Amino acid sequence: MSQEFVPPGARFSALPDAFPLLRGGTLNGARVAYETLGRLAPERDNAILVLTGLSPDSHVASHPGDPSPGWWEAMVGPGKPVDTDRWYVICLNAPGSCKGSTGPASADPATGEPYGPDFPELSMEDIADAAAHTVRALGVERLACVIGTSMGGMSALSLLARHPGLARAHLSVCGAAGALPFAMAVRSLQREAIRFDPRWNGGRYGGHDTEDYPHRGMLTARKLGMTTYRSAREWDGRFGRDRIPAERRGPDVPFGPEFEVEAYLERHARKFSGRFDPNSYLHLSRCMDRFDLGESCGSTTDAALAAIRLEKALVIGVETDILFPLGQQRQIADGLRAGGTDTEFLALESDEGHDAFLVDIDRFGPPVTKFLSSLWLSGGPACPPTPSDWHWSPARTAASASRRRAGSPPPASASCSPAATARR
């Protein structure tokens, strides 16, 4: 009995029945969980899509439907870098997750029981196609920007390649066009830790509050991940060689935790273990390993990036990121620039490693603010769906441009397409 963890403010968009998956199989009665912040302009041209990493839900920031802090609370909201006084922000939970979108923990309509290990193989391309369907179902034919963070950077590139013309711009944050061997090795060990826990039981286990749940496998998997999310400099500066005080050590066991860094990993891994489904972890981590934008588009990575047509892009990486190294962000920037996109690349100094975009807002906030403000001032026409040979034109009406320059909030209100790839 696996479990879902759906934020209270989540809304749901139904996917078409027999929704096709890249690696074979279909999903029936599937849904995508999403939340929105801000107001959609009458021209429907101020929408920003946020695609998340592996574990976040759709609750990116607080709003009246859920006033609790979101996973990117410091970055998204009124007057913040992703300013919801200007932008209509859509945040999606990836299919395959356990936080509202259909995944292994969801009920299979054919049986009424959770899919568990019977959930069909998932790909980053499937996540991208589900996102594109949801955006259009919300009445948005062209996004002002797609923001992808971590794994979301992968699904964002897939969306841009498979659905040309769906977005004006892209903000890539610690993302990648494909998995590198080091990251694949770490995620392989994470999956192994879960699978080798006897209580995983081939994917048929009890709920997180039962004795039949693979707690030990999930704890080890999460600890492995957490060691890669920050940098060695950050670990050293934060913990040094500080030892756990005697009164906090608990029972004395051979080779048990002795240092504060061990206690930190244990504490946070336990919190995560009770809030994420193991089968979802397996599916999404394997999605990341298998993703290669060039392979997906039947070309090289550089050629696939150059084929994406955008007005502008900002690609941000962190010098201490060992999970999505800086070279991967540089490759994205170079590839988009080669295709004619006005692209800026930023290599930020931060001790926080891959997680810097979540915690080092003082460094990430200003360039994000500047980039999105430039999109707001330049504007962009609200257009019907575009053909595959679409090319961007920055023209828009004087009235709409004037509204943006005044800073007033909006009133209420080579192709890699799925057809071209033939769902291979």
Side-chain angles (χ1 to χ4, degrees):
M1 183 191 70
S2 53
Q3 290 181 268
E4 294 182 279
F5 307 94
V6 186
R11 300 158 67 187
F12 304 98
S13 175
L15 295 177
D17 274 341
F19 184 76
L21 303 178
L22 184 75
R23 303 187 188 281
T26 59
L27 287 174
N28 289 299
R31 68 183 190 179
V32 172
Y34 71 93
E35 295 183 37
T36 63
L37 300 90
R39 293 174 293 175
L40 186 62
E43 300 94 337
R44 297 179 178 268
D45 61 352
N46 70 325
I48 289 178
L49 174 66
V50 178
L51 296 174
T52 76
L54 184 150
S55 60
D57 54 28
S58 58
H59 187 55
V60 66
S62 57
H63 56 82
D66 184 354
S68 65
W71 60 266
W72 220 9
E73 185 73 23
M75 188 70 78
V76 180
K80 295 178 182 179
V82 185
D83 188 352
T84 53
D85 283 338
R86 290 179 169 183
W87 303 108
Y88 179 68
V89 177
I90 307 165
C91 183
L92 302 186
N93 177 237
S97 180
C98 55
K99 298 190 174 181
S101 295
T102 298
S106 306
D108 180 350
T111 65
E113 298 295 324
Y115 281 98
D118 299 324
F119 191 73
E121 289 191 59
L122 192 69
S123 72
M124 206 61 66
E125 292 85 349
D126 301 325
I127 295 172
D129 290 349
H133 176 84
T134 301
V135 165
R136 291 179 174 125
L138 291 174
V140 176
E141 292 296 337
R142 175 166 295 155
L143 294 157
C145 186
V146 178
I147 300 176
T149 64
S150 188
M151 184 190 83
M154 293 178 161
S155 55
L157 288 175
S158 184
L159 181 147
L160 293 169
R162 295 172 67 79
H163 300 273
L166 187 59
R168 286 179 56 203
H170 177 39
L171 171 53
S172 175
V173 182
C174 298
L180 291 181
F182 173 76
M184 294 166 67
V186 172
R187 288 191 287 265
S188 176
L189 291 174
Q190 291 176 296
R191 292 193 296 272
E192 188 173 299
I194 295 171
R195 292 187 297 107
F196 284 9
D197 186 325
R199 293 179 179 175
W200 181 63
N201 191 31
R204 304 187 189 281
Y205 43 82
H208 69 91
D209 54 352
T210 72
E211 293 185 356
D212 297 323
Y213 180 86
H215 279 292
R216 180 46 53 191
M218 283 292 284
L219 288 175
T220 302
R222 186 59 172 177
K223 289 177 184 180
L224 282 166
M226 289 174 69
T227 60
T228 68
Y229 299 156
R230 301 295 180 97
S231 73
R233 287 207 311 257
E234 203 265 350
W235 291 120
D236 184 54
R238 185 171 185 177
F239 298 107
R241 292 184 54 79
D242 293 349
R243 284 174 164 79
I244 305 169
E247 64 271 16
R248 286 179 39 223
R249 282 198 191 176
D252 188 17
V253 296
F255 306 103
E258 179 180 355
F259 295 95
E260 284 286 9
V261 67
E262 296 175 279
Y264 173 86
L265 290 173
E266 180 73 15
R267 183 168 62 253
H268 284 270
R270 285 191 177 278
K271 181 180 178 180
F272 177 82
S273 175
R275 298 292 301 168
F276 207 86
D277 178 60
N279 286 331
S280 290
Y281 205 110
L282 295 172
H283 272 275
L284 291 175
S285 91
R286 188 167 63 176
C287 270
M288 297 172 73
D289 286 354
R290 288 179 167 176
F291 180 63
D292 181 300
L293 184 67
E295 181 181 280
S296 176
C297 294
S299 63
T300 66
T301 300
D302 292 343
L305 288 165
I308 293 173
R309 295 291 179 262
L310 297 167
E311 178 190 356
K312 300 183 74 169
L314 172 61
V315 183
I316 306 178
V318 176
E319 302 225 2
T320 57
D321 189 344
I322 62 172
L323 192 61
F324 285 62
L326 200 59
Q328 293 196 285
Q329 287 86 58
R330 186 176 287 109
Q331 180 185 37
I332 294 170
D334 289 346
L336 293 176
R337 193 178 293 119
T341 298
D342 178 8
T343 304
E344 182 180 3
F345 169 64
L346 287 179
L348 298 183
E349 294 266 4
S350 177
D351 285 352
E352 274 78 15
H354 184 65
D355 266 0
F357 71 91
L358 295 172
V359 295
D360 199 348
I361 303 303
D362 287 345
R363 285 188 172 87
F364 276 82
V368 171
T369 299
K370 179 181 177 183
F371 176 71
L372 294 180
S373 294
S374 73
L375 287 181
W376 181 266
L377 293 173
S378 65
C383 298
T386 51
S388 59
D389 61 351
W390 163 80
H391 293 284
W392 174 256
S393 170
R396 68 170 291 110
T397 65
S400 184
S402 175
R403 171 173 60 82
R404 277 177 160 66
R405 292 191 181 95
S408 58
S413 76
S415 176
C416 187
S417 67
T421 55
R423 305 296 292 179
R424 62 177 180 277

